[in-house]
Amino acid sequence: MRFHSLLSFLTASAGIWSGVEAVQVNPLPAPRSITWGNSGPQRVAGRLELNAPYNEIVYGAWRRASHAITRLRWTPAATEAPIATFEPFPTGAAKRSGRSGGLKEVNLKVEDYKAELQHSVDESYTLEIKDGSSSIDITAKTLWGALHAFTTLQQIIISDDKGGLIVEQPVAIKDSPLYPYRGIMVDTGRNFISVKKILEQLDGMALSKLNVLHWHIDDSQSWPVEMKSFPQMTKDAYSPHEIYSQRDIRDVIDYARDRAIRVVPEVDMPGHAASGWQQIDKDIVACEDSWWSNDEWPLHTAVQPNPGQLDIINNKTYEVVEKVYDELSSIFPDNFFHVGGDEIHPNCYNFSKYVRDWFADDNSRNYHDLFQYWVDKATPIFNNTKSRRLVMWEDVAIGANAAHNIPKDIIFQAWNGGLTNIKNLTAMGHDVIVSSADFFYLDCGFGGWVGNDPRYNELANPDPDTPNFNYLGPGGSWCAPYKTWQRIYNYDFTTNLTDTEKKHVIGVTAPLWAEQVDDVVISSKIWPRAAALAELVWSGNRDAKGKKRTTEMTQRILNFREYLLANGVAAAPLMPKYCRQHPHACDLNYDQDSIK
Ligand SMILES: *[C@@H]1O[C@H](CO)[C@@H](O)[C@H](O)[C@H]1NC(C)=O
Ligand SMILES: *[C@@H]1O[C@H](CO)[C@@H](O)[C@H](O)[C@H]1NC(C)=O
Ligand SMILES: *[C@@H]1O[C@H](CO)[C@@H](O)[C@H](O)[C@H]1NC(C)=O
Ligand SMILES: *[C@@H]1O[C@H](CO)[C@@H](O)[C@H](O)[C@H]1NC(C)=O
Ligand SMILES: *[C@@H]1O[C@H](CO)[C@@H](O)[C@H](O)[C@H]1NC(C)=O
């Protein structure tokens, strides 16, 4: 080990390692298969020319990649510095010199330019630089795969430290994602996020090959979306400046599509729904003027302020829902639409005459029946095109007030109960998006945010029943503690599933709920942790031998954080810079096999 360069060590497990020195680059996500040649780095001769039939998206993406390559002249940020010199860590820095001749062009072959950016579209690509060749050869089944090839290429062309550019070693990459659905969720209902900051997230997603922006667009607190059918809904935006015009939304969708990212919208219904809806007709919203909290149990109507749920029994609700849904679903081209369904609070419906009468009509009815009524009435409205697939939070199927009978083609987003709920939902035959709060929630661990909270007035032993709120404890948010990148990366979310159940896991989403998020902190809460998620579902968290590669990932994610910064994404630091400069010096364990 001692005489191998660090990056040979780091990249060895990503593919077939040829055993040579001087592999300097460490793209993220690590490709499924990467084979380095052994003839020494290739020089890039001037600006690389793209050879491919004209296609606006492909050429736009190439312009960006090419611009990043020449403007950044990237020097890997985590690989060159002095390295700890004691076993078992690798030592030595790579040497650099560009071979003559030089790379002049990128030859791109795309089989199918027409494949739509929809769920399961082929994203695979190959990228090869043959020894002594003047071209970089890329093949892809679809243009979306080609875009991924570019974000790999821009990370492996690096500075030669003399003003030139090189690719360290000829290289052959064969790459494709493990999962077709790889998302992050932003919430623009709790606090407004500007379009500019949403685009910044898309930049980070494109670089890390995440391909779904789940846009939780409104919530009980605000309705920030311009509506033509009901213009009054934006009276519940936070201000006239905190509204997405439909043009803004189209801009976000186009910007995402240009980067091979789908935008899956969510309008949360029937829970988490007061703002906007109440401006149309107070009668279609229940309990919006109630007290929410549970220190006065009879008044408890919501998990957080402010309360409000769509009235499930009022017929008018469905007329309004249909108009709102038809308008929004005509703007978002994705075949998936997320219609929420989480955290229905039964007590809220005490405030609805319609619901009270409905229960009084037949005293065998319970809240499961009420939720079933919603599913039966609302689902046909949401299922408004042939290609439509609906996504709902798991609560509809397995929550405390779950419906009994749910169409099998509804996709559930699992957020509670870790592996148990993933198993449960996939065993029921549903496709599942994994968002387990204990692993993937990016908002956890920042403390509680509601006011007048006596639990923060503890000097001594806190209440053992609420350990999250311990003074000096793990920090009081309901899903504390904070999920570190290692926590995210190590999550083996298909553990103990049968093969059939595994097939139902279509991917993951890391949500960032925005009670404590706005433009100022959004990027640092998402990045670079989302890059750990990205690699987990692109090429996995294990090497070819099945060994967890979290420690190997450390330098890769530290480097990638710097790369995000260089590309304008305000990612947070993960460690003292010392650790990036001294690989392994900051490992907790000397034993390199300690993560199983
Ligand atoms: C709602 O009604 C139930 C059953 O009557 C009762 O237990 C609960 O306290 C009521 N909640 C509110 C907020 O009125
Ligand atoms: C809702 O409409 C149905 C007919 O579609 C009707 O039978 C029912 O009485 C209406 N319910 C209410 C609460 O108005
Ligand atoms: C949506 O409609 C299609 C038929 O067009 C049907 O096959 C499918 O089960 C429906 N899905 C839901 C969730 O209702
Ligand atoms: C899923 O969980 C529900 C309870 O929420 C339980 O009734 C059901 O049996 C479970 N199903 C499976 C397949 O584990
Ligand atoms: C997986 O199943 C085995 C056998 O039932 C069990 O012992 C183990 O705890 C399970 N693993 C997890 C992570 O739940």
Side-chain angles (χ1 to χ4, degrees):
M1 251 358 227
R2 182 174 199 101
F3 299 105
H4 297 152
S5 79
L6 169 69
L7 259 292
S8 297
F9 172 76
L10 290 178
T11 52
S13 47
I16 309 148
W17 172 49
S18 59
V20 292
E21 251 190 83
V23 177
Q24 281 282 320
V25 286
N26 204 1
L28 187 155
R32 293 284 282 284
S33 156
I34 183 164
T35 312
W36 300 97
N38 56 14
S39 54
Q42 291 267 72
R43 199 168 58 82
V44 177
R47 186 174 280 274
L48 289 166
E49 189 95 22
L50 178 65
N51 294 324
Y54 184 73
N55 173 282
E56 195 183 340
I57 290 182
V58 168
Y59 273 75
W62 174 247
R63 256 194 315 279
R64 285 192 303 278
S66 168
H67 184 66
I69 290 166
T70 49
R71 180 178 55 90
L72 297 178
R73 299 192 172 273
W74 183 242
T75 297
T79 60
E80 291 212 275
I83 292 163
T85 53
F86 46 94
E87 299 286 1
F89 310 124
T91 64
K95 57 179 185 302
R96 295 185 163 189
S97 61
R99 275 159 59 95
S100 55
L103 294 161
K104 297 191 173 69
E105 57 192 5
V106 175
N107 293 327
L108 170 66
K109 285 211 176 67
V110 172
E111 245 172 61
D112 175 5
Y113 275 98
K114 296 220 169 70
E116 285 292 324
L117 182 65
Q118 290 288 359
H119 184 64
S120 281
V121 71
D122 193 303
E123 298 176 274
S124 67
Y125 70 92
T126 68
L127 189 162
E128 187 169 15
I129 304 173
K130 292 209 178 73
D131 187 18
S133 169
S134 64
S135 68
I136 298 163
D137 296 318
I138 294 174
T139 69
K141 291 264 174 4
T142 70
L143 67 94
W144 315 110
L147 267 47
H148 293 314
F150 294 164
T151 61
T152 300
L153 183 62
Q154 74 180 79
Q155 292 181 58
I156 65 172
I157 297 181
I158 59 173
S159 164
D160 69 356
D161 290 342
K162 297 173 209 130
L165 289 166
I166 50 170
V167 181
E168 281 273 356
Q169 302 282 354
V171 63
I173 292 171
K174 259 181 83 108
D175 211 5
S176 59
L178 289 170
Y179 291 93
Y181 193 99
R182 307 179 306 278
I184 57 172
M185 191 210 80
V186 299
D187 163 10
T188 56
R190 270 51 178 268
N191 280 303
F192 186 77
I193 310 288
S194 69
V195 168
K196 177 169 171 278
K197 276 289 169 180
I198 294 174
L199 302 188
E200 189 175 313
Q201 309 320 308
L202 293 169
D203 290 342
M205 292 173 71
L207 289 173
S208 56
K209 300 182 173 50
L210 289 167
N211 69 347
V212 178
L213 177 72
H214 169 177
W215 190 353
H216 182 92
I217 201 160
D218 71 292
D219 211 287
S220 218
Q221 292 87 349
S222 77
W223 181 278
V225 191
E226 178 197 11
M227 297 297 295
K228 312 259 198 234
S229 50
F230 299 109
Q232 68 270 41
M233 290 181 91
T234 46
K235 284 188 192 159
D236 286 339
Y238 282 125
S239 78
H241 310 292
E242 290 164 295
I243 294 173
Y244 305 107
S245 68
Q246 296 195 355
R247 175 155 189 174
D248 289 338
I249 293 175
R250 290 198 166 91
D251 286 348
V252 169
I253 294 167
D254 289 348
Y255 192 93
R257 181 179 153 81
D258 284 346
R259 288 156 182 78
I261 300 166
R262 299 157 53 202
V263 180
V264 173
E266 178 189 355
V267 177
D268 204 349
M269 298 170 279
H272 291 275
S275 289
W277 305 100
Q278 65 189 357
Q279 294 292 343
I280 301 168
D281 185 347
K282 281 236 170 207
D283 219 27
I284 65 166
V285 179
C287 89
E288 76 279 16
D289 294 325
S290 65
W291 179 248
W292 72 278
S293 181
N294 59 7
D295 66 328
E296 292 293 335
W297 181 254
L299 299 180
H300 181 33
T301 50
V303 293
Q304 67 171 224
N306 51 322
Q309 297 178 177
L310 292 179
D311 195 310
I312 290 176
I313 300 299
N314 185 353
N315 284 339
K316 172 113 196 258
T317 303
Y318 298 94
E319 289 169 30
V320 170
V321 161
E322 181 161 11
K323 284 195 182 127
V324 169
Y325 184 81
D326 284 351
E327 184 174 344
L328 286 175
S329 64
S330 73
I331 299 171
F332 289 91
D334 205 84
N335 287 342
F336 284 22
F337 201 108
H338 198 310
V339 291
D342 58 324
E343 299 185 318
I344 294 290
H345 208 295
N347 279 354
C348 174
Y349 289 120
N350 294 18
F351 292 78
S352 161
K353 179 171 175 343
Y354 301 98
V355 175
R356 287 198 311 267
D357 288 352
W358 186 78
F359 279 127
D361 278 352
D362 177 349
N363 61 17
S364 75
R365 287 172 174 160
N366 59 32
Y367 286 103
H368 298 285
D369 303 321
L370 184 66
F371 215 172
Q372 186 67 47
Y373 187 101
W374 168 261
V375 169
D376 292 344
K377 289 266 281 192
T379 304
I381 294 172
F382 299 145
N383 196 14
N384 64 352
T385 68
K386 251 197 148 94
S387 46
R388 177 73 68 220
R389 292 211 55 195
L390 299 175
V391 189
M392 297 183 186
W393 296 103
E394 64 178 20
D395 311 43
V396 180
I398 56 174
N401 309 297
H404 320 282
N405 187 7
I406 300 156
K408 276 286 173 280
D409 55 330
I410 289 179
I411 300 161
F412 282 109
Q413 193 161 354
W415 65 282
N416 283 297
L419 299 174
T420 308
N421 287 13
I422 298 166
K423 176 109 187 148
N424 189 310
L425 292 159
T426 54
M428 286 165 74
H430 289 285
D431 284 350
V432 165
I433 298 162
V434 174
S435 292
S436 308
D438 287 344
F439 296 85
F440 288 167
Y441 269 33
L442 301 174
D443 50 297
C444 305
F446 287 91
W449 55 270
V450 293
N452 193 27
D453 186 343
R455 291 170 298 188
Y456 289 102
N457 184 32
E458 304 268 9
L459 287 179
N461 254 356
D463 176 0
D465 292 337
T466 55
N468 267 351
F469 291 89
N470 280 0
Y471 181 64
L472 296 179
S477 64
W478 71 272
C479 55
Y482 183 86
K483 314 308 170 204
T484 68
W485 74 265
Q486 292 186 81
R487 175 78 175 165
I488 293 167
Y489 190 68
N490 284 328
Y491 187 26
D492 295 315
F493 51 83
T494 60
T495 302
N496 281 354
L497 299 188
T498 66
D499 287 347
T500 313
E501 289 161 359
K502 275 183 190 159
K503 287 204 189 83
H504 281 299
V505 176
I506 64 171
V508 305
T509 293
L512 178 64
W513 298 105
E515 289 90 347
Q516 302 180 89
V517 175
D518 66 10
D519 275 13
V520 177
V521 298
I522 182 170
S523 295
S524 60
K525 286 190 176 182
I526 292 181
W527 302 103
R529 288 185 294 165
L533 182 87
E535 180 164 304
L536 174 64
V537 281
W538 182 275
S539 53
N541 60 12
R542 290 174 191 276
D543 65 20
K545 295 193 192 104
K547 178 178 173 297
K548 274 248 165 101
R549 58 178 178 185
T550 318
T551 309
E552 172 205 308
M553 174 65 164
T554 307
Q555 293 298 70
R556 185 153 59 244
I557 198 169
L558 294 180
N559 174 57
F560 192 73
R561 185 265 175 166
E562 302 306 307
Y563 195 67
L564 286 168
L565 285 186
N567 284 278
V569 182
L574 295 175
M575 287 182 177
K577 189 168 178 176
Y578 181 89
C579 307
R580 166 153 70 82
Q581 293 179 337
H582 300 80
H584 292 288
C586 301
D587 289 2
L588 176 66
N589 284 0
Y590 184 79
D591 174 8
Q592 293 295 294
D593 294 321
S594 65
I595 300 175
K596 306 287 182 214

